[in-house]
Amino acid sequence: MQTSNILQLNDWDIKKVISAVLSIQLAVWGAVGLDALGINIPIMRQVIVFIYLSFIPGYLILRILKIHKLSTVETLLYAVGLSLSFTMLSGVLINSVCPIFGFNQPISSLPLIISISTEIIILCIICYLRDRDNDDQPLPPYICVENIFSLPALLLTLLPIIAIFGTYLINFYDQNLLLMLLIAVLALLAVFTGFGLVPEKLYPYVIFVTAISLLFHTSLFSSYIWGWDIQHEYYLANLVIKNSFWDYLIPFNTNGMLSIVMLAPIYSKLCAADLVWVFKIIYPLFFSLVPLGLYHAYQKQTNKQIAFFSCFFLISLFTFYTEMVGLARQQIAELFLVLIILVILSEKISKINKSILFIVFAFSLFVSHYGLTYIFLFCLTGALLILKISDSYKHAPDVANRQQIKQHNKQHNKQHRVININNLCACLVLAITWYIYVSDSSTFNTVVYIGNDIIGNLAELFNPESVQGMAIIKAQTSSLLHETAKAIHLLTQFFIAIGIFALITKKVRFNEEYAAFSLMKFLLLIACLILPYFASSLNTTRFYQISLIFLAPFCIIGVYTAFQYVSNLFQIKYNIKTITTTLSVFLAIFLLFNTGFVYEIAKDNPTSFFLNTELDGPYFNQQEVRGAEWLFQNRNKKLVVYADGYRSQLCKSIANYEKITTDKNLLHDFSRTYIYLGTFNLTEKLIYAADEEKGKKEHIAIETKIIIDRSKIYDSENVNILR
């Protein structure tokens, strides 16, 4: 039995497309109208508006560009990417234009729904006029219902549901059994794939459910946002929601990132969803598309098995589902980076449309995350240089032949390459213009300061005190198991180096633009181990995770290449199947170490507070949130609020940097400070603060005198506020 493939809406008959879009438009108006009348149907508005914002604009734009006959994954990702770009840029337009017509609160429900609905209807009209007479009308796409409802597919669908219930149990009952079971099953999926027990047609779905399950097991932890940067992101997005207006002159780097100040408030307003849950559910859903898109990109250049293992390696790294969950803007930016990769590799999109999509996704990346923007522009410039050098020095017996080869390459590049001088110049102009004129140039100034730090301290090359990457490698571990985990990480990096060597020596073939980008990413990793204050400008783990977007396949290729070298050296026959099964077991172990599963089982210095709530971290319960809100509503604004290294993050999500300090010396200053103590501080009598002697942050005992000599102005079971 077959049914129309709704994920390939851009290949449907044009009249059916318009009918479907207008039906969803009416459903959105109906859901919003019912809420306005006080008739609230749980989840209905959220689901309808999410589908409307996340897919409809993108599919219409694909029709306008006459882009057809793509794979389901490509179509889905392009539609989502274009929809996000449309939503962010529409928000800027609405924010700028509505005040001219007297709407002084443009980022509120009514102006947003009127403006976006009008834009969607205009897109429908353009779409109909542009694509109604398509001579090469594609056949209606269908999908097999039996595949959707097959037993393996249904069992895989249970995994994200288990993740949701598992986080519920850990949040309210401190029970991690279900999450531990989930992680074990996800590890077994890699092993089953290596032993050929998972059908190849399910590989993309396995990657998606593994990614979203790992993301949900962390993002849904606690009933409030957790992490570091996301607290500042929450503050700025919430400021837009409260004011119903975006002030683009506020001098914070993140204030210029539309992925935070436009995307999140618009989804929150139109979906009638709390901003906390926008960050905890909607953003991870978008981010889970990153490995899905990469699977498609890797598979086009290698094979399905290498693509699967490459993606599994990428999502097994702890940064993917821990640090990245606390970086909402980078989640969106990485999705746009993957879309750029898909555009580079696409063979079915015309040259002009490839350039349009490249510029649109590149600009969307620029307004999503400034750190990734500078990395992208650096790699784009280096990749173009590598391609030019490669074109100039093709092997040729004489000058005449070399000239012919240059001419051939010039024609080839003109037809196929997206990485060219025109697109590079366009990207540089767009990025620099945006960063200079938005957020009072703070983002542009930041990269200048970082550059000055690096150049001014070149004498400290390889010094662990100033080179974060080298410091991580030299750092001492706390036990044999942790030392084993470190060795596993170093081994994967060794395999990446072998894979890159195989690329350079042409043992493996990749798309030349992708290969050039990969070489630049590898050079960036080397820079993290050499240049002072380079890796710390973004954080080494984030640099590594970003680089793996390009380099993950080279780790898997490096494994196969290493086995081949060893077998040739010792003249031993090797079996590809044996290598594959060994690799699958290795990746399963890699996941178990990265999630903290192994340490939790062994009770050996556990690392994951998602599995062990006895560990301290930047996560907070509702009483802590209410206490912090009360403090900043009622405090004397002339006084400073002290909170330790973790609890200060909660304060920043409510009041940002308004007289919040982590300097423990101010604990003794009775005349100038409030002291905010959270649940962990009260139960363990510890604060997370800097130890001057050790030069790092750690848990330090609270002096009893500080508590005794101060008055409690807020007292609950989990929060004390002292004055």
Side-chain angles (χ1 to χ4, degrees):
M1 181 179 174
Q2 290 185 328
T3 186
S4 298
N5 187 351
I6 196 169
L7 297 180
Q8 290 187 278
L9 198 65
N10 65 314
D11 288 339
W12 285 19
D13 177 76
I14 187 66
K15 292 180 181 178
K16 288 185 178 180
V17 171
I18 300 299
S19 298
V21 171
L22 293 179
S23 297
I24 295 174
Q25 179 69 76
L26 289 172
V28 169
W29 289 342
V32 173
L34 287 174
D35 271 5
L37 294 172
I39 304 172
N40 299 313
I41 302 175
I43 305 178
M44 183 186 74
R45 175 173 174 175
Q46 288 75 23
V47 172
I48 293 173
V49 176
F50 173 78
I51 292 171
Y52 176 71
L53 290 177
S54 306
F55 300 100
I56 298 305
Y59 281 118
L60 291 175
I61 294 170
L62 286 174
R63 293 299 298 241
I64 291 170
L65 295 175
K66 295 186 177 183
I67 297 176
H68 299 290
K69 295 183 178 180
L70 302 177
S71 69
T72 299
V73 171
E74 277 187 291
T75 304
L76 171 66
L77 269 86
Y78 286 147
V80 171
L82 289 170
S83 295
L84 296 182
S85 301
F86 171 86
T87 303
M88 291 191 295
L89 296 179
S90 291
V92 174
L93 181 65
I94 294 165
N95 190 77
S96 304
V97 173
C98 281
I100 298 174
F101 296 96
F103 292 97
N104 294 321
Q105 294 184 319
I107 310 301
S108 53
S109 295
L110 185 60
L112 284 173
I113 197 67
I114 293 174
S115 301
I116 293 177
S117 296
T118 303
E119 291 169 357
I120 291 294
I121 292 172
I122 292 172
L123 286 180
C124 284
I125 295 170
I126 298 172
C127 175
Y128 182 78
L129 295 174
R130 281 271 300 164
D131 210 30
R132 62 178 173 175
D133 297 323
N134 184 18
D135 294 329
D136 186 25
Q137 186 67 35
L139 294 173
Y142 293 99
I143 189 168
C144 184
V145 176
E146 285 80 4
N147 290 337
I148 297 175
F149 294 102
S150 65
L151 182 60
L154 291 175
L155 290 175
L156 288 170
T157 305
L158 288 175
L159 295 178
I161 298 172
I162 293 173
I164 293 169
F165 279 105
T167 52
Y168 177 83
L169 289 177
I170 197 77
N171 285 339
F172 294 100
Y173 299 100
D174 289 334
Q175 292 293 326
N176 67 2
L177 182 60
L178 201 55
L179 287 181
M180 296 287 281
L181 176 63
L182 171 70
I183 293 168
V185 171
L186 294 177
L188 284 174
L189 274 178
V191 177
F192 291 161
T193 303
F195 281 84
L197 301 177
V198 177
E200 287 188 346
K201 64 183 179 183
L202 285 179
Y203 284 1
Y205 193 53
V206 172
I207 289 298
F208 173 75
V209 297
T210 302
I212 195 62
S213 298
L214 287 171
L215 288 168
F216 275 168
H217 108 275
T218 55
S219 72
L220 297 178
F221 177 75
S222 171
S223 54
Y224 192 69
I225 54 171
W226 63 266
W228 303 89
D229 288 33
I230 200 169
Q231 310 295 337
H232 179 51
E233 293 170 339
Y234 177 88
Y235 171 79
L236 290 172
N238 201 38
L239 195 63
V240 174
I241 291 173
K242 287 180 179 178
N243 298 332
S244 295
F245 179 78
W246 171 49
D247 183 359
Y248 69 93
L249 294 177
I250 296 175
F252 290 122
N253 293 351
T254 308
N255 188 54
M257 301 298 100
L258 300 183
S259 57
I260 298 301
V261 296
M262 276 300 155
L263 199 63
I266 289 174
Y267 269 89
S268 178
K269 288 278 189 177
L270 293 186
C271 290
D274 191 288
L275 183 60
V276 167
W277 297 105
V278 171
F279 283 134
K280 292 173 82 69
I281 296 176
I282 293 179
Y283 275 62
L285 279 172
F286 289 139
F287 190 50
S288 66
L289 297 177
V290 166
L292 183 63
L294 288 176
Y295 172 83
H296 186 79
Y298 298 158
Q299 185 261 328
K300 290 181 74 171
Q301 301 177 92
T302 56
N303 60 49
K304 292 181 179 180
Q305 201 161 60
I306 290 177
F308 175 87
F309 287 136
S310 300
C311 290
F312 196 90
F313 168 56
L314 173 72
I315 62 183
S316 295
L317 185 71
F318 66 91
T319 312
F320 178 82
Y321 46 84
T322 56
E323 195 169 352
M324 288 300 301
V325 170
L327 290 161
R329 64 188 186 275
Q330 190 170 330
Q331 292 179 54
I332 303 301
E334 288 196 10
L335 177 57
F336 286 120
L337 179 60
V338 171
L339 290 169
I340 290 170
I341 294 173
L342 291 177
V343 171
I344 289 173
L345 298 177
S346 178
E347 298 172 351
K348 295 183 179 180
I349 301 178
S350 66
K351 176 189 171 184
I352 183 65
N353 280 339
K354 285 183 73 171
S355 293
I356 290 171
L357 292 177
F358 180 84
I359 295 300
V360 168
F361 293 144
F363 181 69
S364 300
L365 188 155
F366 302 159
V367 299
S368 294
H369 190 242
Y370 49 89
L372 189 52
T373 294
Y374 292 127
I375 293 173
F376 172 76
L377 290 175
F378 174 77
C379 290
L380 181 63
T381 305
L384 179 60
L385 182 61
I386 290 172
L387 291 171
K388 291 293 183 183
I389 293 173
S390 175
D391 291 342
S392 300
Y393 290 94
K394 296 286 185 181
H395 296 295
D398 53 51
V399 175
N401 284 345
R402 182 174 293 176
Q403 292 298 328
Q404 291 176 359
I405 290 173
K406 284 184 178 181
Q407 184 63 28
H408 170 76
N409 288 333
K410 185 176 180 181
Q411 294 173 354
H412 179 77
N413 296 342
K414 187 176 180 181
Q415 294 173 2
H416 299 287
R417 281 187 184 167
V418 176
I419 299 178
N420 56 54
I421 190 66
N422 293 332
N423 286 341
L424 173 61
C425 291
C427 287
L428 289 171
V429 170
L430 288 170
I432 293 172
T433 302
W434 181 264
Y435 290 151
I436 286 178
Y437 288 101
V438 174
S439 300
D440 198 27
S441 303
S442 65
T443 310
F444 183 79
N445 294 334
T446 296
V447 75
V448 174
Y449 297 147
I450 292 171
N452 285 337
D453 278 345
I454 294 170
I455 294 171
N457 294 278
L458 287 177
E460 299 184 45
L461 293 177
F462 297 103
N463 182 359
E465 293 184 3
S466 54
V467 182
Q468 191 182 73
M470 186 61 68
I472 291 173
I473 290 176
K474 289 191 172 184
Q476 295 294 317
T477 55
S478 57
S479 71
L480 180 60
L481 274 179
H482 286 268
E483 188 68 28
T484 302
K486 180 179 177 180
I488 290 173
H489 280 286
L490 292 175
L491 185 59
T492 59
Q493 291 155 30
F494 172 71
F495 285 135
I496 289 173
I498 293 177
I500 290 293
F501 179 75
L503 175 69
I504 294 171
T505 56
K506 299 183 179 180
K507 300 291 185 183
V508 293
R509 297 286 182 178
F510 276 76
N511 173 280
E512 57 185 1
E513 292 174 281
Y514 183 93
F517 247 108
S518 299
L519 290 174
M520 291 304 301
K521 292 291 184 181
F522 189 69
L523 290 176
L524 272 180
L525 290 186
I526 294 174
C528 289
L529 300 176
I530 297 175
L531 295 178
Y533 304 108
F534 176 73
S536 58
S537 64
L538 187 65
N539 200 330
T540 302
T541 53
R542 289 163 66 182
F543 263 115
Y544 185 50
Q545 191 270 339
I546 291 168
S547 298
L548 282 187
I549 290 175
F550 283 89
L551 298 180
F554 296 102
C555 177
I556 308 305
I557 289 169
V559 172
Y560 286 101
T561 305
F563 270 90
Q564 186 178 359
Y565 283 150
V566 171
S567 63
N568 290 340
L569 181 63
F570 294 101
Q571 297 182 343
I572 302 171
K573 289 184 179 180
Y574 68 95
N575 189 321
I576 293 293
K577 183 66 177 177
T578 302
I579 300 174
T580 301
T581 53
T582 304
L583 177 60
S584 67
V585 173
F586 174 80
L587 289 175
I589 294 171
F590 185 74
L591 174 65
L592 295 176
F593 270 103
N594 274 268
T595 54
F597 179 96
V598 172
Y599 310 127
E600 194 64 33
I601 291 291
K603 303 300 179 186
D604 182 3
N605 298 311
T607 57
S608 173
F609 51 75
F610 314 109
L611 301 176
N612 189 336
T613 54
E614 292 182 2
L615 299 176
D616 193 18
Y619 64 91
F620 320 102
N621 56 50
Q622 281 301 313
Q623 287 192 8
E624 290 176 307
V625 175
R626 286 194 292 269
E629 289 174 342
W630 180 89
L631 172 60
F632 285 98
Q633 287 171 1
N634 297 280
R635 71 189 174 102
N636 180 341
K637 294 185 179 180
K638 294 180 180 180
L639 302 184
V640 177
V641 174
Y642 170 83
D644 73 356
Y646 289 135
R647 268 48 64 177
S648 62
Q649 301 305 312
L650 169 61
C651 295
K652 289 175 184 177
S653 74
I654 296 169
N656 201 42
Y657 297 99
E658 298 173 15
K659 293 194 174 182
I660 299 169
T661 182
T662 57
D663 183 0
K664 68 178 187 295
N665 295 319
L666 290 178
L667 289 170
H668 301 281
D669 192 336
F670 287 65
S671 62
R672 292 175 53 202
T673 60
Y674 294 101
I675 298 178
Y676 176 90
L677 300 175
T679 305
F680 184 87
N681 304 139
L682 296 175
T683 56
E684 303 297 328
K685 307 301 181 188
L686 298 171
I687 56 173
Y688 185 66
D691 188 314
E692 289 80 2
E693 294 182 1
K694 296 182 179 180
K696 63 178 182 180
K697 285 186 176 181
E698 61 177 28
H699 287 97
I700 301 170
I702 303 174
E703 295 180 37
T704 306
K705 184 177 184 300
I706 292 173
I707 298 177
I708 292 175
D709 292 351
R710 286 184 178 255
S711 301
K712 288 183 183 179
I713 60 173
Y714 186 98
D715 188 4
S716 74
E717 181 183 357
N718 292 312
V719 180
N720 280 181
I721 299 173
L722 310 178
R723 172 70 180 93

